[in-house]
């Protein structure tokens, strides 16, 4: 960062501090990951200078010969990775991508069925304060109170009763595999469009560790930065019959110029995810999450649905007498980043809910093993149990430093 050091030491100093925080702490925020340096080089490239409204071969600005090649390569790699018929690689992030899907396929006021936010869904799947809930007539399905799992009989019952135009399958805090084919067959009964938001699990799908909805679903969106380990951004994949409407909804419907440096970085990430090592990574992410969940359960913690099939888990911290916000703070203080989370049927408020959400995408990238993941579960448990004991917490901070030193990140 030799240029920043000359022109803007204040920002350089903050970047250095954040890099150090990432290096010396344990990252368990389920939506975060560490990109490769190659992805970062692409995001920091001259491509950030270019405007290229339009699509490959059909731009509204001159000088886009190279950008056309970049975008075409990103599209080609994405198609190889996910086997989709069509992909738009321009969405700036997950919510704008989801907005473009609605704009392309349904009208304001139309009925949509999605998973409720505090049961693991996402704001853009119909929460009343989000544009999705404000513009469209959402009905929400929930997880079963006893099992913590989505009950497909309930989804079918609501779908047959409400007859939504679209059914969404996807989540930001649900630790079980979705039954894509069951969603599709329910949608087919009522002629609804199927929309999967795989933001959290795209890397696990790309790495063939869990089943893909792409063969079954009309439309699939994902962010590119979570388990997929690319830059911040999103993509929309769809069947050919939706291609024109999706493209028109992204540009000119939602966005102006795409961020070409991010398109290039997405292409780099797709290339990385096409390598055999990425399959190992995806499998390891799940093995680490399952080991962490098992260890937490053995230590008396309650995990919603009793475990995990993917990279994440939601832990009800009230069992240990600590609400989620306080747990997040205690863990932050010892060097573990988590995000507080509502649990299904939570009696507490979203800003101070009962749970924390944990994920293993980032620690697996830096090489944490199953044994390390168990050690992380052990430090989480002890930090919570011994929260009033400053000396114990200091010792735990030391253990975390050692774990991080064992698996260096960017040095
Ligand atoms: N912020 C993302 C997450 O943490 O899951 C979803 O938008």
């Amino acid at each position: 960062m030799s240029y920043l050091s000359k022109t803007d030491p204040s920002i350089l100093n903050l970047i250095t501090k954040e890099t150090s925080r990432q290096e010396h702490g344990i990252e368990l925020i389920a939506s975060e990951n560490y990109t490769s340096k190659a992805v970062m080089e692409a995001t920091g490239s001259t491509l950030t200078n270019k405007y290229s409204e339009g699509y490959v071969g059909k731009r509204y600005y001159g000088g886009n010969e190279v950008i056309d090649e970049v975008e075409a390569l990103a599209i080609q790699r994405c198609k190889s990775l996910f086997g989709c018929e069509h992909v738009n690689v321009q969405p700036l992030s997950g919510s704008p991508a989801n907005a473009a899907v609605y704009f392309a396929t349904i009208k304001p006021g139309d009925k949509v069925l999605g998973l409720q936010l505090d049961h693991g869904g996402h704001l853009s799947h119909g929460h009343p304060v989000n544009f999705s809930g404000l513009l469209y007539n959402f009905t929400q399905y929930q997880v079963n109170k006893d099992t913590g799992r989505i009950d497909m009989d309930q989804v079918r019952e609501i779908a047959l009763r409400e007859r939504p135009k679209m059914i969404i399958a996807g989540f930001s805090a649900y630790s079980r595999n979705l039954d894509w084919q069951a969603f599709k067959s329910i949608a087919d009964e009522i002629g609804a469009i199927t929309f999967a938001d795989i933001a959290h699990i795209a890397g696990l799908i790309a790495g063939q560790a869990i089943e893909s909805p792409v063969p079954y679903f009309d439309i699939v969106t994902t962010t590119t930065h979570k388990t997929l380990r690319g830059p911040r951004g999103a993509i929309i994949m769809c069947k050919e019959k939706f291609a024109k409407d999706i493209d028109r909804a992204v540009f000119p419907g939602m966005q102006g110029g795409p961020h070409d440096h991010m398109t290039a970085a997405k292409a780099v990430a797709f290339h990385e995810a096409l390598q055999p090592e990425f399959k190992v990574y995806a499998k390891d992410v799940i093995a680490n999450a399952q080991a962490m969940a098992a260890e937490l359960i053995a230590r008396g913690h309650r995990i919603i649905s009793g475990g995990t099939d993917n990279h994440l888990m939601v832990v009800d911290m009230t069992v240990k007498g600590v609400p989620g916000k306080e747990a997040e703070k205690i863990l932050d203080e010892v060097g573990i980043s988590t995000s507080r989370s509502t649990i299904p049927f939570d009696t507490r408020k979203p800003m101070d809910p009962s749970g924390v959400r944990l994920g293993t995408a980032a620690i697996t990238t830096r090489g944490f093993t199953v044994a390390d993941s168990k050690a992380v579960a052990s430090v989480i448990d002890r930090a919570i149990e011994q929260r009033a004991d400053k000396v114990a917490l200091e010792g735990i901070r030391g253990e975390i430093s050692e774990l991080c030193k064992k698996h260096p990140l960017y040095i």
Side-chain angles (χ1 to χ4, degrees):
M1 301 229 174
S2 55
Y3 293 96
L4 263 185
S5 75
K6 284 188 210 113
T7 63
D8 200 337
S10 308
I11 283 293
L12 176 62
N13 181 37
L14 292 172
I15 293 174
T16 307
K17 269 163 77 176
E18 172 58 14
T19 306
S20 169
R21 188 194 68 81
Q22 292 184 15
E23 182 77 49
H24 300 295
I26 291 183
E27 186 53 73
L28 295 182
I29 292 180
S31 47
E32 296 187 12
N33 209 332
Y34 306 113
T35 69
S36 67
K37 287 206 168 177
V39 164
M40 282 195 262
E41 281 182 357
T43 66
S45 68
T46 53
L47 273 57
T48 195
N49 299 334
K50 193 69 195 102
Y51 256 120
S52 49
E53 271 95 331
Y55 289 103
V56 177
K58 288 171 278 179
R59 306 283 182 184
Y60 289 81
Y61 286 70
N64 271 304
E65 300 75 18
V66 177
I67 298 302
D68 274 358
E69 287 192 49
V70 169
E71 191 166 323
L73 194 52
I75 289 169
Q76 180 208 312
R77 289 177 178 174
C78 186
K79 285 183 173 178
S80 311
L81 188 61
F82 289 104
C84 53
E85 291 178 14
H86 176 80
V87 60
N88 186 309
V89 295
Q90 295 189 2
L92 303 179
S93 206
S95 285
N98 290 352
V101 170
Y102 301 136
F103 292 162
T105 54
I106 54 175
K107 296 203 166 40
D110 277 351
K111 275 195 184 166
V112 189
L113 181 57
L115 178 60
Q116 194 169 306
L117 180 72
D118 54 356
H119 286 241
H122 187 255
L123 274 174
S124 65
H125 299 176
H127 193 274
V129 300
N130 181 262
F131 77 90
S132 53
L134 292 167
L135 280 181
Y136 303 100
N137 183 7
F138 266 84
T139 307
Q140 311 251 259
Y141 55 94
Q142 303 183 328
V143 299
N144 178 284
K145 201 166 187 170
D146 299 324
T147 63
R149 292 175 186 245
I150 293 167
D151 173 354
M152 293 312 294
D153 291 336
Q154 187 209 38
V155 174
R156 180 166 182 271
E157 186 194 308
I158 301 174
L160 295 186
R161 188 180 69 230
E162 299 290 335
R163 307 194 77 79
K165 287 258 169 66
M166 171 183 275
I167 298 182
I168 306 176
F171 54 80
S172 56
Y174 182 70
S175 61
R176 295 303 181 176
N177 286 333
L178 297 183
D179 187 344
W180 306 118
Q181 294 191 57
F183 275 104
K184 167 75 177 140
S185 91
I186 293 167
D188 283 349
E189 283 189 70
I190 54 166
I193 295 166
T194 43
F195 167 23
D197 179 344
I198 58 167
H200 266 268
I201 49 174
L204 308 180
I205 289 168
Q208 297 175 8
I210 60 179
E211 198 193 13
S212 171
V214 168
Y216 314 111
F217 272 51
D218 295 316
I219 301 168
V220 178
T221 61
T222 181
T223 47
T224 43
H225 47 275
K226 297 184 175 90
T227 51
L228 194 50
R229 211 164 62 183
R232 300 301 287 259
I235 55 173
I236 305 174
M237 299 176 269
C238 63
K239 301 287 186 218
E240 199 55 52
K241 70 172 179 171
F242 292 97
K244 273 206 176 89
D245 289 336
I246 289 287
D247 285 352
R248 216 176 289 127
V250 173
F251 172 82
M254 285 278 304
Q255 296 181 182
H259 292 181
D260 300 313
H261 55 309
M262 304 312 266
T263 305
K266 288 174 194 177
V268 174
F270 300 149
H271 179 66
E272 290 175 358
L274 280 162
Q275 305 313 306
E277 306 85 86
F278 201 80
K279 288 199 179 76
V280 178
Y281 167 69
K283 203 164 71 41
D284 288 350
V285 167
I286 297 173
N288 284 346
Q290 290 177 338
M292 192 182 288
E295 184 66 25
L296 285 169
I297 290 167
R299 289 168 176 269
H301 289 265
R302 181 170 96 89
I303 306 225
I304 305 307
S305 87
T308 182
D309 298 328
N310 57 33
H311 64 304
L312 72 79
M313 68 209 75
V314 177
V315 190
D316 176 2
M317 300 306 299
T318 60
V319 169
K320 295 281 178 176
V322 191
K325 189 176 171 185
E326 195 185 332
E328 179 192 288
K329 187 162 169 280
I330 294 162
L331 295 173
D332 243 337
E333 278 165 10
V334 294
I336 300 179
S337 291
T338 63
S339 48
R340 75 193 80 149
S341 173
T342 49
I343 59 169
F345 309 98
D346 210 333
T347 50
R348 301 180 63 87
K349 296 251 170 347
M351 268 311 280
D352 187 11
S354 295
V356 289
R357 187 187 60 169
L358 311 174
T360 52
I363 59 168
T364 307
T365 292
R366 71 187 293 174
F368 277 44
T369 61
V370 159
D372 295 326
S373 302
K374 284 188 187 157
V376 173
S378 151
V379 287
I380 289 173
D381 176 57
R382 282 180 286 125
I384 298 296
E385 293 285 359
Q386 299 168 11
R387 58 192 176 276
D389 182 343
K390 287 231 158 9
V391 179
L393 291 182
E394 202 45 50
I396 287 169
R397 184 72 184 95
E399 284 181 56
I400 287 165
S401 286
E402 286 310 310
L403 270 170
C404 292
K405 262 192 231 146
K406 201 166 108 187
H407 300 291
L409 189 54
Y410 286 124
I411 42 178

